[in-house]
Amino acid sequence: MAPIHRPKIELSQPVPPEVEAGIDLTLQVRVSCPSGCDLRGNLVQVISPDGLLLMSELVTYDDEANETEAFSVTVPSQVAEHSWTVSVPGHQTEEVVHEECSLIIPFTTRPHSTSMAVWDVASPVVIGSSFRVKVGVKCSPGCPLTGELVEVRDERGKKIGGGRLGQTPWPETTALYCTEVDLIAPSGEGMNSWSADCNIEGLELPHLSASAGFSFRVVGPPEHRVTVKVITKDTEAPLENADVRLGFYRASTDESGVATLDLTNGTYDLNVVKPGFETLPQTIAVTQDVTVQVDATVAPDPASEDDHLWM
């Protein structure tokens, strides 16, 4: 009577206990015989409660065990608990009997997770004026989200505006779908915290909703213009792309080193920031149009200072 061998079956990499519904799951099956038998050519079956999902084949042998190539199986699209069976049917030769071996793979499917970003938020904005924000939504496995509705709501949950996600992903991203939402600033001054949300409903696979908050300041109509000219102190050359901060107002210098800010009466702290340069802060009382010059000096090289300390 031929001896009976009882092979052992396992996955080369375990299946996570939770996976997103409808994705392709990569499996690779490893089978070893306690007697070191080479089982290449034997079939591996992946079976669900509804029947056979896929068959593969043991194709490699490393003197200890056989493996299949990595292969993909699509998980169910329903959010629920599931169980697959991976098995190698028993087979017999004149020399030996190999019993069937099997492995139960339990897992739970969950909706696709999503994320949202809001950017290009103007602040401050003038009372009652129109402004626009960009909103992007991404599905973690990269599902196309074209046409999904994004809504913006205020602190009380009132809908303020909305837009549909575009046809193609945002440049230099693989799956960030975006829209621009036109909004109207509130009628009162102060800080506002609004939110954007997207309940993804137009796709076959289940998705979690995405949301993100953003803040902006509302100010009264501008009364005066402040012109800030930034130059390098040693050469008097204009300094371009410097960040000019006048209180909570923001602007950047142009190629002439000039930035203009329209604002209301008040006293403001003026700071100019650009990497590699240093400036002194100033305080400005704005009661009329005013022009201010800021001298920027080249910041010391930290590496050079460190070298000096060790000399």
Side-chain angles (χ1 to χ4, degrees), residues 169-189:
W170 188 254
E172 299 183 3
T173 73
T174 56
L176 182 67
Y177 289 81
C178 304
T179 186
E180 290 186 315
V181 182
D182 292 317
L183 302 167
I184 301 295
S187 57
E189 296 185 43

Side-chain angles (χ1 to χ4, degrees), residues 124-236:
V125 294
V126 175
I127 287 174
S129 66
S130 60
F131 66 106
R132 176 178 291 180
V133 300
K134 293 183 176 69
V135 182
V137 184
K138 182 178 181 180
C139 162
S140 53
C143 295
L145 302 177
T146 298
E148 294 295 327
L149 177 64
V150 170
E151 295 182 329
V152 173
R153 300 182 182 276
D154 65 13
E155 293 94 339
R156 297 169 295 176
K158 178 183 177 182
K159 181 180 175 181
I160 303 299
R164 298 276 178 182
L165 297 177
Q167 293 285 335
T168 56
W170 188 254
E172 299 183 3
T173 73
T174 56
L176 182 67
Y177 289 81
C178 304
T179 186
E180 290 186 315
V181 182
D182 292 317
L183 302 167
I184 301 295
S187 57
E189 296 185 43
M191 287 297 298
N192 292 266
S193 296
W194 289 0
S195 62
D197 59 76
C198 180
N199 295 315
I200 299 173
E201 299 173 343
L203 301 181
E204 179 181 352
L205 296 175
H207 285 71
L208 297 174
S209 59
S211 63
F214 63 97
S215 299
F216 60 95
R217 183 182 292 274
V218 176
V219 296
E223 298 170 294
H224 305 294
R225 171 164 290 187
V226 175
T227 301
V228 180
K229 183 173 178 61
V230 184
I231 63 172
T232 56
K233 186 174 183 180
D234 293 339
T235 64
E236 297 188 354

Side-chain angles (χ1 to χ4, degrees), residues 1-266:
M1 183 176 178
I4 298 175
H5 293 179
R6 295 178 175 84
K8 176 185 176 183
I9 186 170
E10 58 187 340
L11 296 178
S12 299
Q13 295 292 332
V15 171
E18 282 193 350
V19 296
E20 291 175 305
I23 66 168
D24 288 337
L25 193 63
T26 300
L27 302 178
Q28 189 171 17
V29 179
R30 182 177 177 87
V31 180
S32 57
C33 174
S35 298
C37 297
D38 183 357
L39 303 176
R40 277 181 289 186
N42 282 273
L43 295 179
V44 175
Q45 301 175 333
V46 181
I47 304 168
S48 76
D50 295 327
L52 180 66
L53 291 176
L54 183 141
M55 286 197 300
S56 187
E57 183 178 320
L58 296 171
V59 294
T60 64
Y61 181 59
D62 61 5
D63 294 329
E64 293 184 0
N66 297 93
E67 277 190 322
T68 65
E69 297 286 355
F71 57 89
S72 295
V73 188
T74 303
V75 305
S77 58
Q78 299 82 17
V79 175
E81 294 181 352
H82 303 277
S83 180
W84 289 344
T85 300
V86 179
S87 68
V88 175
H91 62 282
Q92 180 177 354
T93 65
E94 293 182 357
E95 293 81 16
V96 65
V97 174
H98 285 98
E99 291 186 334
E100 176 183 4
C101 57
S102 62
L103 174 69
I104 304 297
I105 306 175
F107 61 93
T108 300
T109 48
R110 55 181 169 82
H112 291 201
S113 59
T114 57
S115 58
M116 175 181 284
V118 182
W119 69 99
D120 281 358
V121 181
S123 184
V125 294
V126 175
I127 287 174
S129 66
S130 60
F131 66 106
R132 176 178 291 180
V133 300
K134 293 183 176 69
V135 182
V137 184
K138 182 178 181 180
C139 162
S140 53
C143 295
L145 302 177
T146 298
E148 294 295 327
L149 177 64
V150 170
E151 295 182 329
V152 173
R153 300 182 182 276
D154 65 13
E155 293 94 339
R156 297 169 295 176
K158 178 183 177 182
K159 181 180 175 181
I160 303 299
R164 298 276 178 182
L165 297 177
Q167 293 285 335
T168 56
W170 188 254
E172 299 183 3
T173 73
T174 56
L176 182 67
Y177 289 81
C178 304
T179 186
E180 290 186 315
V181 182
D182 292 317
L183 302 167
I184 301 295
S187 57
E189 296 185 43
M191 287 297 298
N192 292 266
S193 296
W194 289 0
S195 62
D197 59 76
C198 180
N199 295 315
I200 299 173
E201 299 173 343
L203 301 181
E204 179 181 352
L205 296 175
H207 285 71
L208 297 174
S209 59
S211 63
F214 63 97
S215 299
F216 60 95
R217 183 182 292 274
V218 176
V219 296
E223 298 170 294
H224 305 294
R225 171 164 290 187
V226 175
T227 301
V228 180
K229 183 173 178 61
V230 184
I231 63 172
T232 56
K233 186 174 183 180
D234 293 339
T235 64
E236 297 188 354
L239 191 61
E240 186 179 2
N241 293 327
D243 182 20
V244 178
R245 306 173 183 178
L246 202 57
F248 44 73
Y249 293 86
R250 299 286 188 272
S252 295
T253 56
D254 59 18
E255 59 186 11
S256 302
V258 174
T260 58
L261 304 96
D262 296 322
L263 37 72
T264 58
N265 277 330

